[in-house]
Amino acid sequence: QKSMRFRSAICLLLALCARKCNSLLLSSPNCVHARASACIKMAVETPVRVPERAPVINPGKPSDERQSDPAKKYKLLLFNDNVNRREYVAKVLVSNIPELSQADAYVIMQSAHKNGMAVVGIWLFELAEAYCELLKSGGLISNIEEED
């Protein structure tokens, strides 16, 4: 059941990305079409030049100066509201966030009720954003914030 919820969260994330891409394409279809046809035309008309010799590449060790930073993580925040019942909040949390058990959701809900806000979890931006949208669609007040 948890894997099914995880798959649905991934599907939602992909749907959000596809929706954004389609809105960009649909906002100026003539421009995109014109660019695509010009690009195809250019690819057909461009002569192919074969280099006389291959470039010499000196293999070396990667420099330690450019170490990759880990991806930024974001906190998913849940805020207390006076509209939703506590049981409903816990139900929405469990049904939309695959990693949460009922006990975890109850603890998060209680923390938000007592303190006005609770951290639901910490994820990469895209996943945190998708979970935030799921909670908002369930009627909860949520937001994401960069982790310190």
Side-chain angles (χ1 to χ4, degrees), residues 86-103:
R86 289 186 268 176
E87 295 81 13
Y88 175 75
V89 173
K91 179 182 172 188
V92 170
L93 285 170
V94 168
S95 64
N96 290 310
I97 301 182
E99 295 91 11
L100 289 183
S101 66
Q102 287 183 338

Side-chain angles (χ1 to χ4, degrees), residues 72-79 117-125 128-129 132 142-148:
K72 290 184 180 178
K73 302 269 186 158
Y74 288 80
K75 298 186 282 190
L76 175 60
L77 305 174
L78 174 69
F79 296 94
M117 179 192 73
V119 176
V120 178
I122 300 171
W123 294 281
L124 294 175
F125 177 76
E129 184 179 40
C132 183
S142 63
N143 200 1
I144 57 173
E145 180 180 284
E146 190 173 340
E147 184 187 25
D148 297 331

Side-chain angles (χ1 to χ4, degrees), residues 30-80:
N30 293 335
C31 182
V32 171
H33 178 68
R35 284 188 202 150
S37 62
C39 183
I40 292 169
K41 188 176 181 183
M42 238 178 120
V44 171
E45 293 176 359
T46 305
V48 177
R49 289 189 61 195
V50 178
E52 294 175 10
R53 59 189 168 113
V56 178
I57 300 174
N58 294 330
K61 295 181 180 178
S63 66
D64 292 335
E65 298 169 4
R66 294 176 39 197
Q67 291 184 358
S68 61
D69 293 333
K72 290 184 180 178
K73 302 269 186 158
Y74 288 80
K75 298 186 282 190
L76 175 60
L77 305 174
L78 174 69
F79 296 94
N80 186 34

